[in-house]
């Protein structure tokens, strides 16, 4: 578990946003990915939020 929200260089699928969120909160990356895919079935700005997080979350050194 990390103390800051950042995208990892390993273990990511597309941009590492879900893996970064999972690392930050101590969850499994597959759980966060599944929750994201399921949330896409609901109306809302999920893809926009993902893109914003992709652009604003720093990549780990």
């Amino acid at each position: 578990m990390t103390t800051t929200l950042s995208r990892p260089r390993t273990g990511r699928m597309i941009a590492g946003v879900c893996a970064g969120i999972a690392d930050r909160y101590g969850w499994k990356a597959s759980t966060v990915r599944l929750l994201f895919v399921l949330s896409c079935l609901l109306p809302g700005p999920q893809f926009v939020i993902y893109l914003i997080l992709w652009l604003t979350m720093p990549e780990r050194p």
Side-chain angles (χ1 to χ4, degrees):
M1 194 162 105
T2 63
T3 58
T4 60
L5 191 60
S6 59
R7 295 181 295 125
R9 291 185 182 268
T10 60
R12 59 188 191 179
M13 289 281 198
I14 298 173
V17 173
C18 292
I21 292 171
D23 284 347
R24 169 65 179 91
Y25 295 106
W27 301 339
K28 291 182 178 181
S30 58
T31 302
V32 177
R33 290 179 186 123
L34 178 65
L35 289 173
F36 176 74
V37 169
L38 290 176
S39 76
C40 289
L41 300 174
L42 301 171
Q46 291 87 344
F47 290 113
V48 174
I49 292 171
Y50 187 89
L51 291 174
I52 290 170
L53 286 173
W54 186 357
L55 295 172
T56 58
M57 280 176 66
E59 196 166 359
R60 283 191 203 138

